[in-house]
Amino acid sequence: MTVLVIAEHDNKSLNDATRAAVTAASKIGGDIHVLVAGKGASGVAEAAGKLDGVAKVLHADADHLEHPMAESLAALVLSLADGYDAILSPATTTGKNFMPRVAAKLDVMQISDITAVESADTFVRPIYAGNAMMTVKSTDAKKVITVRGTTFEKAGDGGSASVESVDAPAGPFKSAFVSEELAKSDRPELTAAKIVISGGRGMASGDNFHLLDKIADKLNAAVGASRAAVDAGFVPNDYQVGQTGKVVAPELYIAVGISGAIQHLAGMKDSKVIVAINKDEEAPIFSVADYGLVADLFKALPELDEELAKAGY
Amino acid sequence: MKILVPVKRVVDYNVKVRVKPDQSGVDLANVKMSMNPFCEIAVEEAIRLKEAGKADEIVVVSIGPQQAQETIRTALAMGADRGILVTAEGRVEPLAVAKILAKIVEEESPDLVVLGKQAIDDDANQTGQMLGALLDWPQGTFASKVELDGGNVTVTREIDGGLQTIKLDGPAIVTTDLRLNEPRYASLPNIMKAKRKPIDTKTPEDYGVDISPRLEVVKVTEPPKREAGIKVESVAQLVDKLKNEAGVL
């Protein structure tokens, strides 16, 4: 049994989602190889070799691999697929983009976004935005799997695997990278943040979100919103946490002026600690909150800001 | 230019799904069903391209039970031109759906296939990409902006941490993300008109596709329940608890 994990990186450093995927691979069993595809990413390949449990690193270096594109990554992985019983990638926007192409070419049904490994062919994955958990057994000879990063431990740095160069198919490909616009905010990205503070319809206007921004800046938190707040036009769609928005599982989730519709709960209920601030004590959000504060958010938020300052933030 | 839009009938996003006591799946009896929200966005995008004079015909496909015809009718009422219903009972996996769609693409020769990035029931997020691979077409997934320029498609994609813009040599696949557009509601006259628009009914056998699932469902269970915690009296107490009890500050 040999498992291939496709590393995700920005050509400079390996991300945590890759570490989680390596842990998932170790639960499947067998030798773990990591593929690092990029341009000038030899530092990443070295870092991948240090991951716990990794036996070998395959390093593909090419100009066209500078940005992860579905066609070229899928072609590269397919060129290596023969030697592997299972192929894993983080279930990030990159992994979700190219992995189903790999699966379809191999005539395999991909197992998306797994949260647990039961055995080498049986996995648990959320359906209905985590409102149900489905255990599936794959009947395909080769497994193609994407891994939810928040549910597996991050592999440590106890390894010393060798790095081997591999060639990447050169195309031609029918898609080309044009540009990238990464959020310039100093704040972390919503799905990667350790703390998330979200506002709902109770915020009353988009302008009032600055009350959340202030606290987010103090806590190095990301700012999110409920669908109600997005639908009301307070903030853009990419703020949306929920079934049809982003699914987050931070250490601390602070829901402000959010009633707790099913659609929202589906996107945040796996957070480690949930705080709810709402003036309606009957709001369903309190049924999932570890700490609930029944208060007017326009009084509570400035107070929270002050208390955090007192606590050294 | 012809656009093909595959759509899926799913449990309405406002419904709280219940797991069946025998753990065989989710209870779908007497549950409100609707078009998958991401598919609605796909239909809307196709209609906007047609309204902008960039497309002439929109064909909607759904693979599912007979009732998926209603989902096609919804798309026709929004403004699509005709439908294809491929009837299939039970669980049809994305791989099988992509294979059927690939056959339909061969027959219909669309210039663009626009579909939702994922269905909110199985959350697989695979069909568009798989179709791209089977056809050897390029793909722009998680689109928040789509521009057509002759045979080229420029897609702005929502990626972790920001936006990425890519250029595809058509024909191409686009999968929709939330920010792409806000789908319209069908007007009553359009709902009436949609009843007269044609829908072809087919079966997976017509396309020679074996839809037997590759994943065997062992069980479906409730996620771990979250217990309600405590109510705090003040913001000061909240910060204290977060710091000293929960250890998250």
Side-chain angles (χ1 to χ4, degrees):
Chain A
M1 182 89 157
T2 318
V3 182
L4 181 66
V5 176
I6 292 86
E8 190 170 313
H9 59 86
D10 56 2
N11 292 310
K12 292 184 201 85
S13 56
L14 205 59
N15 71 1
D16 283 349
T18 306
R19 291 178 181 271
V22 167
T23 302
S26 69
K27 291 183 191 297
I28 293 173
D31 277 353
I32 301 171
H33 295 180
V34 174
L35 170 66
V36 175
K39 184 188 174 191
S42 52
V44 178
E46 268 170 51
K50 292 201 183 85
L51 292 175
D52 284 338
V54 172
K56 187 159 85 176
V57 175
L58 305 177
H59 180 207
D61 186 89
D63 285 349
H64 72 269
L65 295 174
E66 183 176 1
H67 302 282
M69 299 285 289
E71 273 183 282
S72 50
L73 267 179
L76 171 59
V77 174
L78 285 165
S79 74
L80 302 166
D82 274 353
Y84 295 96
D85 304 288
I87 302 170
L88 275 69
S89 147
T92 53
T93 49
T94 302
K96 287 172 180 173
N97 192 30
F98 77 90
M99 285 291 269
R101 284 188 86 102
V102 172
K105 285 282 191 191
L106 295 171
D107 195 25
V108 164
M109 176 57 204
Q110 175 178 300
I111 309 147
S112 293
D113 215 11
I114 62 162
T115 55
V117 176
E118 300 275 295
S119 73
D121 63 5
T122 306
F123 309 91
V124 183
R125 56 178 305 267
I127 54 173
Y128 292 93
N131 284 309
M133 304 303 287
M134 184 185 244
T135 305
V136 290
K137 183 177 174 181
S138 168
T139 57
D140 287 312
K142 225 183 262 294
K143 320 295 180 216
V144 176
I145 297 166
T146 63
V147 178
R148 180 171 286 203
T150 48
T151 55
F152 290 90
E153 296 286 318
K154 295 166 187 74
D157 288 312
S160 59
S162 59
V163 177
E164 189 180 292
S165 280
V166 292
D167 288 330
F173 302 113
K174 297 171 192 159
S175 45
F177 175 85
V178 177
S179 64
E180 202 164 64
E181 193 186 313
L182 296 180
K184 282 176 204 80
S185 161
D186 293 334
R187 288 198 209 118
E189 205 258 316
L190 200 50
T191 51
K194 290 202 164 57
I195 302 179
V196 173
I197 181 163
S198 291
R201 209 198 302 264
M203 296 302 294
S205 79
D207 287 345
N208 290 329
F209 267 71
H210 78 265
L211 295 168
L212 301 181
D213 290 339
K214 243 174 120 177
I215 292 162
D217 286 338
K218 277 202 165 69
L219 296 174
N220 192 31
V223 176
S226 67
R227 183 176 171 130
V230 171
D231 284 351
F234 298 171
V235 286
N237 263 340
D238 57 336
Y239 276 59
Q240 189 183 325
V241 171
Q243 182 163 16
T244 51
K246 294 194 165 77
V247 176
V248 301
E251 300 271 303
L252 172 61
Y253 188 89
I254 308 174
V256 184
I258 292 177
S259 64
I262 298 155
Q263 134 80 312
H264 187 73
L265 299 184
M268 45 64 85
K269 67 183 173 45
D270 291 330
S271 307
K272 194 169 150 229
V273 174
I274 297 174
V275 169
I277 301 174
N278 202 303
K279 67 179 173 192
D280 173 13
E281 63 178 312
E282 301 295 319
I285 190 79
F286 287 121
S287 69
V288 299
D290 299 284
Y291 302 104
L293 176 65
V294 181
D296 178 354
L297 67 92
F298 295 104
K299 286 199 186 102
L301 286 175
E303 264 180 62
L304 180 57
D305 191 53
E306 265 172 51
E307 287 295 331
L308 288 170
K310 272 193 232 164
Y313 283 95
Chain B
M1 152 162 229
K2 189 197 273 189
I3 304 179
L4 187 75
V5 185
V7 295
K8 187 175 183 183
R9 177 178 182 265
V10 298
V11 170
D12 187 85
Y13 76 88
N14 274 316
V15 171
K16 168 113 177 76
V17 295
R18 305 218 176 269
V19 170
K20 288 187 198 166
D22 67 358
Q23 303 195 332
S24 63
V26 161
D27 196 353
L28 298 181
N30 303 315
V31 165
K32 185 185 177 200
M33 305 294 282
S34 301
M35 191 191 297
N36 178 44
F38 293 105
C39 301
E40 279 187 327
I41 295 172
V43 173
E44 176 66 34
E45 193 63 17
I47 295 168
R48 289 189 191 189
L49 289 168
K50 189 179 172 189
E51 285 169 348
K54 304 219 162 155
D56 329 296
E57 191 185 21
I58 302 166
V59 182
V60 175
V61 184
S62 193
I63 298 158
Q66 190 59 40
Q67 298 94 310
Q69 189 175 338
E70 295 159 20
T71 312
I72 296 177
R73 289 280 172 215
T74 304
L76 297 177
M78 286 170 73
D81 297 296
R82 63 185 169 88
I84 302 170
L85 170 67
V86 182
T87 53
E89 289 298 329
R91 216 162 46 85
V92 189
E93 292 174 339
L95 181 62
V97 171
K99 286 178 180 176
I100 294 170
L101 293 176
K103 295 284 181 190
I104 294 174
V105 166
E106 272 174 31
E107 279 183 17
E108 294 281 341
S109 309
D111 304 280
L112 189 66
V113 180
V114 186
L115 63 174
K117 74 166 180 179
Q118 80 188 63
I120 60 164
D121 50 3
D122 63 12
D123 285 333
N125 196 329
Q126 298 175 5
T127 305
Q129 298 89 313
M130 286 184 155
L131 180 61
L134 295 176
L135 296 169
D136 274 317
W137 283 16
Q139 70 190 39
T141 52
F142 326 144
S144 63
K145 194 174 170 195
V146 177
E147 287 169 301
L148 299 184
D149 170 24
N152 289 324
V153 189
T154 303
V155 180
T156 303
R157 310 179 51 234
E158 298 207 14
I159 58 169
D160 293 332
L163 296 172
Q164 181 194 59
T165 302
I166 61 173
K167 199 168 193 174
L168 314 171
D169 290 336
I173 310 277
V174 169
T175 79
T176 61
D177 216 321
L178 279 181
R179 273 206 282 183
L180 184 57
N181 61 48
E182 214 167 288
R184 71 193 64 192
Y185 292 101
S187 66
L188 191 59
N190 285 342
I191 293 171
M192 300 312 289
K193 246 167 55 190
K195 291 186 175 161
R196 292 192 302 273
K197 291 182 178 175
I199 299 180
D200 269 356
T201 303
K202 300 274 192 178
T203 64
E205 293 75 41
D206 292 338
Y207 298 105
V209 174
D210 174 9
I211 60 165
S212 345
R214 305 290 187 83
L215 301 181
E216 192 182 295
V217 176
V218 178
K219 61 177 178 182
V220 175
T221 55
E222 296 269 357
K225 277 263 184 308
R226 228 184 147 105
E227 298 291 324
I230 58 158
K231 292 259 169 70
V232 292
E233 296 303 321
S234 67
V235 171
Q237 195 194 353
L238 174 65
V239 171
D240 177 64
K241 293 272 184 197
L242 291 177
K243 206 169 168 167
N244 300 317
E245 191 175 273
V248 288
L249 280 186

